[in-house]
Amino acid sequence: MNVENLRKKIPALGRMVYGRPLVYLDNAATSQKPEEVLDMQDSMSRFSNGNIHRAMHILSTESTSAYEKARERVRAFINAKSDREIIFTSGTTASINLVAESFSRAFVKEGDKIIISEAEHHSNIVPWQLACEKYGAELLVAEIGDDGRIKMEQMEKMLGEKDVRLVSICHISNVLGIVNPVKEIIAAAHGHGVPVMLDGAQGIVHGKVDVQDLDCDFYAFSGHKIYAPTGTGILYGKESFLEKMPPYMGGGDMVGTVTFKKTTYAELPMKFEAGTSNFIGQSCWTPALDFADSLYEDKELSEEIKRTEKSIIEFIFGELSGMEGVRVLGGTSASGDKIPLFSISADGVHPSDLAQIMDKMGVALRSGMMCSEPLLSKFGLTAVLRASFLPYNTFEEAEAFVRSFKKAVGMLR
Ligand code: PMP
């Protein structure tokens, strides 16, 4: 297997746009899907569309079996201890909101503190603001330096404060493309008896995640960023916490018995899965994660991917750093904690204009504030242009990106 063959499994990557081959570099927003995922989604929708856990008929038993098999596939993928620790949600945002509300209801009281960082996506800021407002807690924000790294000394100091209840930070920033030293942060937090939640929306996609090795207490991620359908997500939580947390939503499938006087709740993980889940989408975790694993299991392929990612990082930093008034956020090509994700600003040119012109050249990019307004304003910016790569991208696509970027900047200046 090589990347060229891998790309043939993903129909969208073979598309032509405006008469040119599509160069898809908006992967941090969402990934393109391989045939195996599309086929399963299609065949379940056509032939096995029976609501899960509820009926004795064959359509329901087939979909229930696919759904629970997918839960086990996710458990194995992140090496959780038990499938009781794998909660299906609609995405990272839903997973973080679940913890922000339910963990806070169980463990947070007036005057307590929650720590996040300056490098968070809005979905790891706003749910904590809502929870802090509701439960009377204070939100502490760990600073990052100009190089995009968390200031560890300051983080240590914050962890030492009284009544810190939880740290919630991203594994990898969706703006900086920097891998946070999460193992170190988790160990430091645990040293103070503080649990840690990781926003793994980007982290799950770039390299293996082992929740037991990390020893994180919660890990949230979205299916659509890792080759699974949209509207699918996971909350991993240590059983010891999930057991003590109250349900987030009430409804069908999450109960033991219901009377008007008192309702008892289902065992984990069902306690947190009220209502009809996106069971077809969630079942597709199985082929999606098989695909993700195949990238690392084939030695030749994984070597090719590693080599290409390294050369893309060196090439883009090299080409762009030579351009006047152009800035790439988040370190240099030499930093080992960098994924191929680049947020760029060019003096005198609006990123959305660049993205629009480059789209017409066949290059699909993201522009705007990346749902990270506080982080951008820290760097004195209101918008950036973001190019984000996945293992299915090629070096030639990085060259096409740089070519079209230079041309578009030239046109606009
Ligand atoms: N956190 C990070 C770091 C992200 O990149 C994203 C998606 N851009 C999210 C959270 C939110 O993910 P979703 O919209 O899939 O819930």
Side-chain angles (χ1 to χ4, degrees):
M1 181 57 86
N2 58 25
V3 170
E4 197 184 330
N5 291 332
L6 188 77
R7 289 175 65 86
K8 293 192 182 129
K9 290 173 162 222
I10 304 172
L13 299 181
R15 238 196 101 164
M16 298 292 285
V17 290
Y18 314 110
R20 300 159 190 258
L22 169 70
V23 176
Y24 183 74
L25 299 180
D26 193 15
N27 294 289
T30 201
S31 63
Q32 297 304 334
K33 320 299 172 214
E35 296 276 13
E36 293 86 339
V37 171
L38 301 169
D39 287 349
M40 182 163 184
Q41 219 177 348
D42 182 68
S43 79
M44 275 190 80
S45 306
R46 284 171 195 270
F47 305 115
S48 298
N49 178 31
N51 207 338
I52 50 166
H53 299 148
R54 287 166 204 211
M56 302 308 292
H57 60 77
I58 186 157
L59 303 189
S60 177
T61 49
E62 280 174 2
S63 54
T64 302
S65 152
Y67 184 77
E68 292 306 330
K69 189 173 160 208
R71 196 190 304 277
E72 167 53 26
R73 186 67 186 86
V74 174
R75 185 210 62 73
F77 189 73
I78 59 170
N79 192 31
K81 262 192 200 145
S82 149
D83 58 10
R84 291 164 58 83
E85 299 178 317
I86 306 297
I87 316 289
F88 284 125
T89 67
S90 62
T92 309
T93 304
S95 300
I96 298 173
N97 274 276
L98 190 163
V99 177
E101 169 57 28
S102 175
F103 177 92
S104 300
R105 193 144 34 110
F107 298 109
V108 176
K109 55 181 189 336
E110 185 94 26
D112 285 351
K113 293 162 192 144
I114 307 280
I115 300 178
I116 59 169
S117 89
E118 282 184 317
E120 302 308 320
H121 187 281
H122 294 163
S123 44
N124 198 29
I125 300 174
V126 186
W128 299 110
Q129 289 175 324
L130 292 169
C132 285
E133 202 176 311
K134 186 164 169 186
Y135 296 100
E138 186 188 348
L139 194 61
L140 306 182
V141 184
E143 281 176 34
I144 60 156
D146 291 339
D147 62 353
R149 269 92 194 153
I150 285 193
K151 292 185 181 168
M152 279 306 289
E153 252 177 52
Q154 190 224 13
M155 171 65 104
E156 292 265 7
K157 239 190 231 160
M158 270 186 184
L159 285 167
E161 287 193 26
K162 240 173 101 259
D163 300 326
V164 176
R165 288 290 160 253
L166 187 85
V167 174
S168 187
I169 51 159
C170 58
H171 187 175
I172 299 181
S173 158
N174 62 307
V175 174
L176 305 167
I178 287 173
V179 187
N180 273 327
V182 286
K183 228 175 148 173
E184 196 185 327
I185 292 169
I186 292 165
H190 286 178
H192 293 276
V194 177
V196 177
M197 168 155 206
L198 295 180
D199 167 355
Q202 303 298 336
I204 196 71
V205 196
H206 296 274
K208 230 26 210 146
V209 169
D210 180 328
V211 290
Q212 290 193 67
D213 180 54
L214 287 173
D215 200 22
C216 56
D217 301 279
F218 300 97
Y219 197 95
F221 53 104
S222 301
H224 69 97
K225 298 202 200 268
I226 183 164
Y227 319 113
T230 342
T232 63
I234 300 295
L235 170 66
Y236 158 79
K238 280 186 184 161
E239 198 170 335
S240 52
F241 280 110
L242 293 177
E243 279 291 3
K244 293 187 191 103
M245 287 160 50
Y248 175 50
M249 291 201 296
D253 233 21
M254 52 71 72
V255 290
T257 62
V258 181
T259 69
F260 289 115
K261 282 229 167 84
K262 182 168 172 57
T263 289
T264 61
Y265 307 123
E267 293 279 309
L268 287 174
M270 301 309 297
K271 181 170 89 173
F272 291 107
E273 292 180 19
T276 298
S277 167
N278 173 11
F279 58 85
I280 293 179
Q282 307 287 18
S283 298
C284 294
W285 278 104
T286 304
L289 297 183
D290 287 350
F291 179 82
D293 266 343
S294 75
L295 305 176
Y296 301 101
E297 277 161 3
D298 183 320
K299 209 163 170 7
E300 252 173 60
L301 179 62
S302 82
E303 288 300 321
E304 183 188 351
I305 291 168
K306 245 191 259 160
R307 252 192 336 266
T308 307
E309 289 196 336
K310 190 165 177 284
S311 28
I312 288 174
I313 292 173
E314 280 167 6
F315 174 69
I316 291 188
F317 269 112
E319 290 286 323
L320 268 50
S321 63
M323 286 180 74
E324 210 189 306
V326 170
R327 190 165 152 213
V328 185
L329 301 184
T332 65
S333 61
S335 24
D337 53 1
K338 177 87 188 146
I339 60 158
L341 179 155
F342 311 89
S343 291
I344 302 156
S345 72
D347 289 353
V349 178
H350 197 282
S352 297
D353 294 337
L354 282 172
Q356 220 172 352
I357 292 175
M358 291 173 76
D359 173 57
K360 299 292 181 294
M361 298 176 187
V363 186
L365 301 157
R366 173 84 189 270
S367 62
M369 61 170 68
M370 310 296 122
C371 298
S372 302
E373 195 176 350
L375 180 61
L376 289 202
S377 56
K378 179 185 172 69
F379 289 107
L381 299 167
T382 52
V384 285
L385 180 76
R386 185 181 70 188
S388 53
F389 293 70
L390 272 182
Y392 54 55
N393 288 117
T394 63
F395 186 75
E396 290 69 34
E397 288 181 307
E399 288 180 316
F401 162 71
V402 168
R403 246 191 337 266
S404 63
F405 178 73
K406 287 184 174 172
K407 201 163 167 192
V409 170
M411 285 164 73
L412 289 165
R413 268 192 184 154

